[in-house]
Amino acid sequence: VQLQASGGGLVQPGGSLRLSCATSGRIFSSWTIGWFRQAPGREREFVAGIRWTGNGPFYADSVKGRFTISRTNSGRTTYLQMNNLQPEDTAVYYCSAGPEYSGRSSQYKYWGQGTQVTVSS
């Protein structure tokens, strides 16, 4: 399984970005696609997750109401729509895949390379 995240960039506070996670290889329908982020000097933290079937999105409290995770039924891409971005959202964002419906990074088996999101005026 391979994952590739893209769509990061520089945005002003209050702005929006949409991240994409393209996957290849065999992913079971029961698996979960997760987005995590890691800011300099901080541990990697969970952002959002969704089942491979597209059901059951769940979010970290810090992004609820601002971020939306979704999947295409026909493709192999998972999206993270990020609205009202704030400086504290600045981080490298990673997508991941694993067999558990979980927000714990240790439960994810495969990881993409990450895409930088910088929120600054």
Side-chain angles (χ1 to χ4, degrees):
V1 174
Q2 292 186 325
L3 303 99
Q4 184 164 355
S6 62
L10 173 64
V11 64
Q12 292 185 342
S16 298
L17 282 174
R18 188 176 79 160
L19 305 183
S20 299
C21 177
T23 59
S24 61
R26 184 175 185 180
I27 295 182
F28 297 95
S29 61
S30 60
W31 279 34
T32 299
I33 301 296
W35 282 99
F36 290 77
R37 66 187 181 187
Q38 188 166 19
R42 302 188 65 176
E43 292 188 355
R44 189 170 298 187
E45 65 174 356
F46 171 76
V47 176
I50 191 168
R51 289 197 184 277
W52 183 248
T53 56
N55 297 325
F58 59 111
Y59 302 91
D61 289 343
S62 59
V63 306
K64 280 181 182 176
R66 300 188 299 125
F67 291 12
T68 303
I69 188 171
S70 62
R71 282 192 34 74
T72 58
N73 289 331
S74 59
R76 300 179 63 87
T77 303
T78 303
Y79 301 101
L80 184 68
Q81 177 67 43
M82 306 186 296
N83 297 329
N84 191 22
L85 283 160
Q86 300 300 317
E88 53 266 34
D89 296 314
T90 295
V92 177
Y93 284 70
Y94 299 88
C95 61
S96 56
E100 302 294 333
Y101 187 68
S102 171
R104 296 170 60 186
S105 60
S106 60
Q107 300 297 317
Y108 288 80
K109 190 172 182 180
Y110 300 102
W111 292 82
Q113 86 289 359
T115 184
Q116 176 71 47
V117 172
T118 302
V119 185
S120 176
S121 56

